[in-house]
């Protein structure tokens, strides 16, 4: 007989960085997990330890095509998140966000499942308001190299709120700020994994621009805790809600911290700043604190230390 508390949960993008940690957590909490992934940036290594678990099911599927299954909850994470990867095939990136959202919302509507969207701080673009609150509408270029991701995610938010208003769907929209940790790909292209891999391999640390641009880095475990709290929150709390760590650092500070923590002899090499690279980013998480009773607990040093250890093992 099915455990009344055990839910069937779909995680799209479940073989990716965040998705695989979410699968771990849901299984640990006693749920049944359906992991859907087309392995564009995800890897079987991230979920290999789950394949023998009878409550874990892996489906190779591209979310731009409809999916017919029965589930209670959906976490929609499928989408490449690193600028290098989402700019590699920008048309597919927009399709993944927009068609993927339509297909997963359609599935949620058919089976009356609750659905959470992994949106992003990129909906704020290069923000003119600092720190960013959920009420800020953003400053996004519609035709730049980042637009496939930013506008895809913005359109997905629109779809979520129209399904909410039009079809009374139970939705949750999370705006995730830069999150890092074990299981990022060594060639992921995002700043934390790039710097750690470069430092461990004694290569030059590639700082884009003069390194004065800022980001706020959240450790993966903190973010997964927020996902679970948000999914379990009152039905009237649909978001959007900022999820991230308000600790703000310049990219140059991050480079120096990584060099120091790894005792690396790497030097810093300045490279051109990519087009439309946001100059500053810091979440205002007052809403998450109030409605989810959540705030990050893991300091940058601790999170970086865990991540360095992961890459040391991986690269050994
Ligand atoms: P990731 O690239 O590691 O994971 C994305 C996963 O989605 C991969 O496993 C990939 O293979 C899969 N995928 C891509 N296109 C797909 C498709 N068409 N069909 C099925 N699967 C597909 O990235 P991540 O950091 O784990 O990000 C997960 C989600 O969170 C993404 O939606 C991303 O936009 C969002 N997000 C992440 C961050 C962050 O800092 N990590 C910040 C903001 C938003
Ligand atoms: N960045 C950098 N060197 C790298 C990779 C990234 O200086 O090797 C910078 C990048 O230009 C940006 C910041 O680090 O200003 C964060 O980049 P990332 O790709 O991690 O995320 P996003 O720009 O989407 O926040």
């Amino acid at each position: 007989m099915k455990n009344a508390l055990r839910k069937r949960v779909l995680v799209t993008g479940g073989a990716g960085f965040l998705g695989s940690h979410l699968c771990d957590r849901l299984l640990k909490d006693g749920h049944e997990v359906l992991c859907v992934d087309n392995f564009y940036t995800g890897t079987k290594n991230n979920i290999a330890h789950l394949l023998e678990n009878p409550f874990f099911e892996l489906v190779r599927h591209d979310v731009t095509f409809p999916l017919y299954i029965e589930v209670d909850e959906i976490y929609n994470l499928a989408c490449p998140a690193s600028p290098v990867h989402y700019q590699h095939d920008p048309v597919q990136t927009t399709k993944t966000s927009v068609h993927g959202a339509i297909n997963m919302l359609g599935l949620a509507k058919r089976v009356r499942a609750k659905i959470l969207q992994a949106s992003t701080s990129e909906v704020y673009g290069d923000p003119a308001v600092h720190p960013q609150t959920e009420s800020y509408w953003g400053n996004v270029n519609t035709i730049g190299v980042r637009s496939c991701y930013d506008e895809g995610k913005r359109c997905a938010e629109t779809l979520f709120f129209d399904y909410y208003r039009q079809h009374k769907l139970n939705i949750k929209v999370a705006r995730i700020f830069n999150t890092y940790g074990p299981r990022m790909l060594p060639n992921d292209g995002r700043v934390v994994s790039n710097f750690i891999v470069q430092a461990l391999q004694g290569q030059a640390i590639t700082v884009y621009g003069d390194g004065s641009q800022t980001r706020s880095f959240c450790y993966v475990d903190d973010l997964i805790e927020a996902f679970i709290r948000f999914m379990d929150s009152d039905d009237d709390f649909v978001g959007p809600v900022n999820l991230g760590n308000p600790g703000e650092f310049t990219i140059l500070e991050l480079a120096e911290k990584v060099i120091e923590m790894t005792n690396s002899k790497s030097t810093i090499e300045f490279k051109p700043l990519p087009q439309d690279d946001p100059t500053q980013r810091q979440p205002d998480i007052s809403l998450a604190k109030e409605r989810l009773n959540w705030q990050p607990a893991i300091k940058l040093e601790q999170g970086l230390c865990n991540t360095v250890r992961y890459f040391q093992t991986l690269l050994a």
Side-chain angles (χ1 to χ4, degrees):
M1 207 174 70
K2 194 177 175 229
N3 178 344
L5 298 175
R6 172 172 291 141
K7 289 179 279 199
R8 296 200 74 210
V9 186
L10 167 62
V11 180
T12 77
F17 160 51
L18 296 180
S20 61
H21 285 279
L22 179 60
C23 290
D24 283 347
R25 170 65 188 266
L26 291 166
L27 288 164
K28 200 169 136 242
D29 288 352
H31 302 300
E32 196 175 328
V33 173
L34 245 130
C35 166
V36 162
D37 208 292
N38 70 348
F39 298 106
Y40 183 63
T41 49
T43 123
K44 284 197 183 147
N45 287 333
N46 285 344
I47 45 160
H49 60 291
L50 302 177
L51 293 175
E52 297 299 311
N53 186 326
F55 296 106
F56 180 78
E57 216 174 318
L58 173 64
V59 183
R60 180 187 282 264
H61 176 81
D62 182 328
V63 294
T64 62
F65 296 96
L67 179 67
Y68 294 91
I69 50 167
E70 314 304 316
V71 288
D72 304 309
E73 288 179 351
I74 303 169
Y75 289 84
N76 188 36
L77 270 62
C79 185
S82 158
V84 176
H85 292 133
Y86 70 64
Q87 288 169 27
H88 175 70
D89 188 350
V91 173
Q92 178 64 17
T93 299
T94 305
K95 277 189 190 171
T96 293
S97 278
V98 178
H99 294 190
I102 290 171
N103 289 326
M104 293 309 113
L105 287 162
L107 169 65
K109 180 174 162 235
R110 183 175 65 79
V111 301
R112 298 315 294 178
K114 202 192 301 187
I115 180 165
L116 182 150
Q117 167 68 357
S119 191
T120 168
S121 53
E122 283 285 315
V123 300
Y124 301 122
D126 190 4
V129 166
H130 193 77
Q132 293 78 57
T133 50
E134 291 86 352
S135 57
Y136 177 50
W137 290 354
N139 175 33
V140 178
N141 178 0
T142 58
I143 57 169
V145 293
R146 293 176 86 102
S147 312
C148 59
Y149 183 76
D150 300 10
E151 295 293 1
K153 290 284 188 180
R154 286 170 67 96
C155 184
E157 285 200 5
T158 306
L159 285 160
F160 269 70
F161 275 82
D162 282 331
Y163 268 77
Y164 169 62
R165 284 183 289 256
Q166 197 176 330
H167 299 300
K168 312 287 174 251
L169 218 62
N170 201 340
I171 65 155
K172 306 274 176 191
V173 173
R175 290 183 179 156
I176 307 163
F177 284 65
N178 298 64
T179 302
Y180 69 98
R183 298 193 197 148
M184 295 181 93
L185 292 175
N187 66 347
D188 181 274
R190 282 179 278 188
V191 69
V192 173
S193 44
N194 265 14
F195 285 3
I196 292 178
V197 170
Q198 288 162 345
L200 291 177
Q201 296 187 330
Q203 298 163 359
I205 308 277
T206 53
V207 169
Y208 302 157
D210 61 6
S212 63
Q213 71 272 36
T214 69
R215 294 292 186 275
S216 306
F217 300 100
C218 184
Y219 187 65
V220 59
D221 292 359
D222 280 331
L223 187 84
I224 300 298
E225 178 62 32
F227 271 178
I228 302 289
R229 288 186 189 213
F230 190 22
M231 187 60 110
D232 292 344
S233 65
D234 296 340
D235 286 355
D236 71 343
F237 184 51
V238 296
V241 63
N242 289 339
L243 300 179
N245 190 322
E248 184 184 11
F249 299 86
T250 68
I251 294 304
L252 195 56
E253 281 170 340
L254 178 73
E256 285 159 355
K257 210 175 260 295
V258 169
I259 291 174
E260 182 195 312
M261 288 186 61
T262 50
N263 272 324
S264 174
K265 295 201 168 43
S266 290
T267 53
I268 291 176
E269 186 185 348
F270 292 92
K271 297 227 172 184
L273 190 67
Q275 192 197 328
D276 292 342
D277 200 288
T279 46
Q280 53 181 1
R281 185 182 288 156
Q282 184 192 32
D284 180 321
I285 59 164
S286 313
L287 186 63
K289 277 187 186 163
E290 183 198 322
R291 295 300 305 256
L292 307 178
N293 190 24
W294 172 87
Q295 62 181 324
I298 298 159
K299 295 244 175 321
L300 184 65
E301 286 73 16
Q302 178 61 50
L304 283 179
C305 187
N306 298 351
T307 314
V308 166
R309 235 181 292 124
Y310 169 78
F311 280 112
Q312 273 168 335
T313 311
L314 190 79
L315 301 173

